[in-house]
Amino acid sequence: GGICDILYLNGMASPLLAGSDFHPNKQEKKPDFPPGAFQYTVLPDTEKTVEGVFDTLRRGRTYAVQNAVIKNLSWNWDKTGAASIRMEIAFHAAQPVRQLQVIAGTGQGASVTGTFPVKVPGPHRLDLTFDTPSPLYCRIRGKGAEVRPGPGGEPRAAAFATSAVFRNGTRP
């Protein structure tokens, strides 16, 4: 997250991409999971053309998710007045989410502005209002409540994260 925040604070929109992270389990000499079966990169609201895909990547409007813990995620700004700005976050949780964090970047740096547990699967919506000084961008990250064995057998929760959405919709 820290490297991304440095890019975002300098006005560089960058897509967030999930790699397959495929490698054999070193102890058991077997694959952890098949390539592409656990990590996904999602391009929401993308026109289903080559140009549309590249436009979404250029704007940096992507999110990465493990094990499909969330889907149909959207996050957008809405101006409410001169003194405040609102962000709307909507998503469908496939499982309970232990924590969903909203990270906001301002001229002074980036910090977690809110942590929200999502106790039941299904559709959810969050409306956040920021007073001035309003953030330059926001990004979202979270972890599912369900765990599965990770490499070496230790339990791990599936995670998700978004690229930044800048206040004007794309870049500063």
Side-chain angles (χ1 to χ4, degrees), residues 99-134:
Q99 67 179 17
L100 180 142
Q101 293 181 322
V102 177
I103 296 101
T106 66
Q108 289 77 40
S111 62
V112 175
T113 60
T115 300
F116 309 93
V118 178
K119 298 184 190 262
V120 295
H124 295 275
R125 181 184 176 125
L126 296 171
D127 288 311
L128 306 171
T129 301
F130 297 93
D131 295 324
T132 52
S134 59

Side-chain angles (χ1 to χ4, degrees), residues 17-19 36-42 63-68:
L17 306 173
F38 189 60
Q39 308 247 43
Y40 306 92
T41 299
V42 181
Y63 67 93
V65 62
Q66 295 175 328
N67 202 24

Side-chain angles (χ1 to χ4, degrees), residues 138-160:
C138 278
R139 63 185 180 86
I140 304 160
R141 69 179 176 203
K143 290 192 176 187
E146 297 175 8
V147 296
R148 61 174 235 127
E154 74 279 359
R156 281 193 183 168
F160 58 92

Side-chain angles (χ1 to χ4, degrees), residues 68-71 91-97 118-124 145-146:
V69 65
I70 62 166
K71 57 186 175 181
F91 63 96
H92 182 93
Q95 61 176 267
V97 175
V118 178
K119 298 184 190 262
V120 295
H124 295 275
E146 297 175 8

